[in-house]
Amino acid sequence: MKVFLATEFRCTVYKEEYYLATRAYVIFVRYAEAFGDIILCSRFERVDELPFDCVRANFVKGIVDCESLGKTLLGGYKNKMMQAIKDSDLVVGRFPSIIAFRARDYAKKLGKVFVAELMCDGLDSYWNHSLKGKLIAPYMTMKMRQCTWDADFAIYVTEEFLQSKYPCKNPTINASNVVIKDINQKILAGRLEKIKRMDINNISMMTSACVAQHSKGQEYVIKAIGLLKKKGINVTYYLAGEGSQKYLRQFAQKAGVEEQIIFMGRLAIERIFEKLDEIDIYIQPSLQEGLPRAVIEALSRACPVMGARTAGIPELMDDECVFERASAESIAKTAMVILKNGLDGYAKRNFEHSKLFLNDTLNKRRNEFYKQIRNRVIQNQELLNIISEV
C-alpha cells in the first residue's frame, strides 16, 4: 500500500534525503511498517548541517511541500495534493493541522479511506499561539470537529479529553505516541532511596518542552519559584527544549530567580531520562497539549509529577498533583501540598501507571486497529475498481 501522510511537523532535507526528529520518526515509521511507503505532505526545511537527533526516513518515497500554511488554507497546492492522494491507498491526517484538514477534504472527494490522528486540542493549540492564532482558532476548532466526526477511523492520544471534544462516529482507538520500551523495579527502588535523602526545602524541578513557545507555560513555574522562595523552599528549575531563551530569561530576572533557572537546550532522549532520574519533581505547565509524552516518560522513571489542568494531562496523575492553568499561585500551592504529603506515594503510583504505556502493550492494540484499517482499504479499493469499470 501507499500512504499519504499529512502533517505540519517539519521534515528536514539534507543532501536530498529526508530526515525526521527522533520523536516524529518513531510515529511515522509505524505507518510505514503497517501499510507501506509514505508520501509525506508537510513543510520541509533544507539544511547544510544535519541536527544531532535526526533519523533518515528512508520510508518516505515522495513529498508534497506545502511551504505556506496561509496558501494551503486558501486552497493552494490543491492539484499536487489531489494527484498524490489519488495515487495513494490510504490518507492519514494528524490534527490539528491546516494541511491535514485539506488532505481530508480531498480524500473525501476522491473516495479514499481517511484516518484522523488527534494530537491535541485545536482551540488551545491556536488560541495560545499568537494574535493570528486567536483569529483562526474558532475555524480550526469547527473544522477539526467536522473532519474527525466523519473520518473512517480516528486515533486519539488521550483516554477521554479529545474524544469528548472531537468525537468520531466510526471506529476509534486511544494510544499515546510515547515510546517506553522497558520498566524495571530498580528504577522505583532508586527513586524511593533518593526521596529518603532529599531536603524538601531545596528541591529540583524539570520541564521538557520548547522554551520559545509561550503556550508551554514555563513562565508560570518561574513565577511560582519566586513565591516558593518566600516560603523558604528553594527550587532549581531545569528547562530542556529548543528555541530562544530570551523571554524566559527576562522573566526569571524580573522574578528575581535567574540563578535558579538552568537552560539545558535540546536533549537527546537518553539524556532526558538521565536528567529525570536526577530531579525531584517533573512539572508540565502547558496551556495546550494532547497527552504529553514527556509526562509519561517522567512517570516511567517513578518521578513525582505535577501538571496543569489542560487537555489530557489530568488523566495521568492524582488530582492533588493538578494545578490551574496559567496560575503561579496554584503551582506553588500544589507543590507545597505534595511535598507535605510525601513524594514516595506518588513515585509508586506513577511507576505502576506508566506500565499502561509500555511499547509492547500499545503496539499490540495499534496493530489490531491497523488490521481493521487495512481490511477497509482493501474493500474500498475493490469498490473503486468496480465503479471505474462501470
Side-chain angles (χ1 to χ4, degrees):
M1 293 183 182
K2 188 180 292 184
V3 183
F4 183 92
L5 179 57
T7 178
E8 285 178 23
F9 194 96
R10 290 185 182 272
C11 177
T12 299
V13 183
Y14 175 68
K15 293 184 178 180
E16 302 308 314
E17 293 185 335
Y18 305 114
Y19 291 81
L20 295 165
T22 305
R23 289 181 182 271
Y25 179 90
V26 297
I27 298 170
F28 293 7
V29 75
R30 291 190 197 116
Y31 289 111
E33 291 173 347
F35 302 107
D37 294 341
I38 302 291
I39 306 299
L40 185 58
C41 181
S42 183
R43 293 180 291 172
F44 295 80
E45 183 178 9
R46 287 160 175 81
V47 300
D48 296 322
E49 185 176 343
L50 191 65
F52 77 91
D53 66 339
C54 280
V55 182
R56 181 169 174 260
N58 55 8
F59 52 80
V60 175
K61 302 301 182 182
I63 69 168
V64 176
D65 191 350
C66 297
E67 299 177 18
S68 167
L69 293 181
K71 186 175 178 180
T72 305
L73 180 64
L74 297 175
Y77 316 109
K78 178 179 179 179
N79 292 337
K80 290 181 180 179
M81 292 179 72
M82 288 278 281
Q83 186 58 53
I85 290 172
K86 186 177 181 181
D87 294 339
S88 301
D89 303 294
L90 173 67
V91 179
V92 177
R94 307 190 74 226
F95 294 166
S97 161
I98 292 170
I99 296 172
F101 293 159
R102 283 289 169 261
R104 172 266 183 188
D105 292 342
Y106 303 148
K108 191 172 183 180
K109 286 183 179 180
L110 293 169
K112 298 290 183 176
V113 176
F114 181 79
V115 178
E117 182 182 356
L118 287 82
M119 302 176 291
C120 63
D121 183 5
L123 178 63
D124 282 347
S125 180
Y126 283 83
W127 186 265
N128 291 297
H129 186 271
S130 63
L131 178 58
K132 289 182 179 179
K134 285 179 171 59
L135 293 175
I136 199 175
Y139 165 79
M140 296 299 290
T141 306
M142 177 195 70
K143 188 68 174 176
M144 187 163 163
R145 284 178 180 151
Q146 178 193 60
C147 291
T148 303
W149 173 249
D150 65 3
D152 296 292
F153 298 90
I155 301 172
Y156 298 88
V157 297
T158 60
E159 293 182 17
E160 299 177 1
F161 176 78
L162 291 173
Q163 289 89 327
S164 66
K165 288 197 72 173
Y166 305 97
C168 177
K169 64 181 180 180
N170 293 312
T172 70
I173 188 178
N174 69 288
S176 169
N177 283 321
V178 72
V179 179
I180 305 296
K181 294 183 178 180
D182 185 34
I183 296 177
N184 64 71
Q185 290 298 127
K186 290 182 180 179
I187 296 171
L188 178 58
R191 173 65 60 180
L192 295 177
E193 185 60 34
K194 175 176 168 41
I195 290 171
K196 286 181 182 179
R197 301 193 309 266
M198 72 176 289
D199 175 4
I200 63 171
N201 292 316
N202 292 280
I203 65 172
S204 56
M205 292 184 175
M206 174 181 171
T207 298
S208 180
C210 176
V211 297
Q213 291 182 15
H214 295 189
S215 63
K216 293 303 179 182
Q218 296 99 324
E219 64 188 80
Y220 301 104
V221 181
I222 292 172
K223 185 176 179 181
I225 289 171
L227 298 177
L228 288 168
K229 193 174 184 178
K230 293 176 182 178
K231 301 282 187 180
I233 301 174
N234 294 305
V235 180
T236 302
Y237 186 32
Y238 294 92
L239 292 165
E242 62 185 346
S244 172
Q245 303 167 1
K246 183 178 179 181
Y247 172 75
L248 291 179
R249 286 189 181 278
Q250 291 176 342
F251 202 91
Q253 289 174 355
K254 290 179 182 178
V257 295
E258 62 269 31
E259 293 182 358
Q260 296 170 243
I261 313 302
I262 311 297
F263 291 90
M264 298 184 292
R266 188 175 182 176
L267 301 180
I269 187 63
E270 295 81 10
R271 179 61 185 127
I272 288 176
F273 280 122
E274 290 174 2
K275 196 63 190 176
L276 286 171
D277 289 340
E278 296 171 7
I279 56 103
D280 297 310
I281 298 172
Y282 181 84
I283 183 166
Q284 194 75 35
S286 305
L287 306 182
Q288 67 90 10
E289 277 293 353
L291 194 76
R293 288 174 291 180
V295 171
I296 300 171
E297 289 165 357
L299 299 182
S300 75
R301 308 310 295 182
C303 194
V305 175
M306 296 168 51
R309 199 173 297 281
T310 299
I313 293 176
E315 298 176 5
L316 296 172
M317 61 197 72
D318 291 326
D319 191 59
E320 63 260 35
C321 299
V322 180
F323 52 82
E324 299 307 315
R325 298 175 4 146
S327 173
E329 291 77 11
S330 184
I331 293 173
K333 181 180 178 181
T334 302
M336 294 180 70
V337 167
I338 67 172
L339 286 170
K340 182 180 179 181
N341 290 346
L343 299 183
D344 52 342
Y346 301 115
K348 293 174 184 177
R349 181 266 178 201
N350 292 350
F351 182 75
E352 289 302 316
H353 190 64
S354 71
K355 293 178 181 179
L356 298 175
F357 300 94
L358 281 169
N359 212 35
D360 289 345
T361 302
L362 292 177
N363 280 341
K364 183 178 180 180
R365 293 176 56 239
R366 281 196 201 95
N367 290 336
E368 289 298 317
F369 196 65
Y370 289 162
K371 285 181 183 178
Q372 294 183 50
I373 297 173
R374 277 197 299 272
N375 290 337
R376 177 63 184 280
V377 171
I378 292 170
Q379 293 170 3
N380 190 66
Q381 191 58 54
E382 290 173 349
L383 179 61
L384 291 176
N385 290 337
I386 293 171
I387 293 174
S388 65
E389 293 172 0
V390 174

